[in-house]
Amino acid sequence: KNEKLNKLLNRRATLDKVLTQLDSFTLGSDKMHDKLTIEDSEGNEFTTTKTNLIAEIVDLLKEKAQAEYEKTEAEILELATA
């Protein structure tokens, strides 16, 4: 039980960092050039500088990370009250 709780707590801490990092993104400033690059394990790259596309991807990442954070929180509470 303690090992599972520790894993969940570590996952929550990691997700908290991810959410904080995603929240810190500033897109669309006149003096900045937004760029997103995705690279797969084979070295294939996709790069875009379209701010609206990058914003949508960042929003999707936030949404998925927030959902995972909430799921992890629920698992922690369930384990703590078991």
Side-chain angles (χ1 to χ4, degrees), residues 1 4 7 16-17 21 25 27-30 34-35 46 48 52 54 58 60 65 67-68 70 72 74-76 80:
K1 181 177 174 177
K4 184 171 183 174
K7 283 182 181 182
D16 188 51
K17 287 179 187 176
Q21 187 175 19
F25 273 83
L27 300 172
S29 174
D30 291 339
D34 301 326
K35 181 168 96 170
F46 169 78
T48 185
N52 59 343
I54 296 169
V58 170
L60 178 63
E68 188 64 28
E70 290 170 9
T72 302
E75 290 179 40
I76 290 169

Side-chain angles (χ1 to χ4, degrees), residues 28-60:
S29 174
D30 291 339
K31 296 179 182 177
M32 300 176 75
H33 292 295
D34 301 326
K35 181 168 96 170
L36 174 70
T37 301
I38 301 170
E39 182 178 348
D40 69 11
S41 61
E42 296 181 8
N44 298 310
E45 282 189 6
F46 169 78
T47 300
T48 185
T49 57
K50 304 235 184 266
T51 299
N52 59 343
L53 178 60
I54 296 169
E56 286 185 41
I57 293 169
V58 170
D59 287 344
L60 178 63

